[in-house]
Amino acid sequence: MTMTQPYRGSVRAGVLALAVLAGCAKDDEAEVRAELGDWVTPGATLYFQSRLGCTAARFETRSPRPLPGVAMAQSLADVMRHVAAERTVAFNVEGHSPTRVSEEVMRANLPGGIGLLSAGVGGKACMDDAEQARYVTALNDPGVVMIYAPQGNALVLLDTGRREVFFVRGDV
């Protein structure tokens, strides 16, 4: 019957739209570099992958610490205040790895910590095995400074010992 023809056209259009969306990147490398440049000074690109649901990047860094525009939190109370105010904040809690700080944020304020978790976990989907291993090492290193930008759902790990910075963004 001729009534099935309109469905075929709309099914084809839907499949084509999904195929196009599947190939779309969440972020562009130049845009990530510019966004990251507000918080640290990135150097050469060491890794970059972006798809519709995630972005993962690693750059060399020329920054020994976050740039002056980033609020610095020295305690969990500071962290929670900045996250609640939607400010970009660097977590530099003495003796605490980024993973430990994230866990404490989640325990203290689940709604405020969901974005942090979403950025950090979701970005792993854009990493190969070697990149995931580097990222997990940085997450568990108490010497690494974590920066969270809630307004853009971006998580940054500044590893001055290795002179590199990770940038991740994801949808969980």
Side-chain angles (χ1 to χ4, degrees):
M1 297 249 178
T2 59
M3 295 179 85
T4 61
Q5 293 298 325
Y7 281 116
R8 284 186 186 156
S10 61
V11 168
R12 275 191 215 126
V15 169
L16 180 61
L18 286 174
V20 168
L21 285 175
C24 291
K26 183 174 190 68
D27 292 298
D28 171 86
E29 184 177 342
E31 291 169 353
V32 166
R33 181 178 285 283
E35 186 174 357
L36 186 60
D38 289 340
W39 311 317
V40 299
T41 306
T45 303
L46 303 172
Y47 181 88
F48 187 87
Q49 178 69 246
S50 186
R51 294 192 296 265
L52 188 58
C54 61
T55 296
R58 185 168 49 91
F59 301 92
E60 290 177 346
T61 184
R62 298 181 181 121
S63 297
R65 65 185 85 45
L67 296 177
V70 176
M72 292 297 289
Q74 303 293 325
S75 69
L76 185 58
D78 287 345
V79 169
M80 299 312 298
R81 186 170 39 85
H82 290 298
V83 169
E86 297 270 318
R87 281 191 210 107
T88 299
V89 58
F91 305 2
N92 194 15
V93 181
E94 183 73 30
H96 287 49
S97 69
T99 295
R100 184 164 173 202
V101 172
S102 299
E103 290 167 350
E104 290 179 10
V105 169
M106 293 293 292
R107 270 195 297 274
N109 179 357
L110 183 60
I114 291 293
L116 176 63
L117 179 65
S118 155
V121 173
K124 284 177 58 178
C126 275
M127 295 178 192
D128 60 26
D129 291 343
E131 200 61 25
Q132 280 190 27
R134 286 183 194 93
Y135 179 64
V136 169
T137 297
L139 279 171
N140 291 303
D141 183 343
V144 170
V145 175
M146 180 168 58
I147 301 169
Y148 176 53
Q151 65 280 10
N153 197 35
L155 181 73
V156 172
L157 300 178
L158 176 60
D159 186 342
T160 57
R162 291 180 185 85
R163 296 183 162 208
E164 60 188 18
V165 60
F166 290 86
F167 176 101
V168 294
R169 182 182 349 252
D171 301 325
V172 173

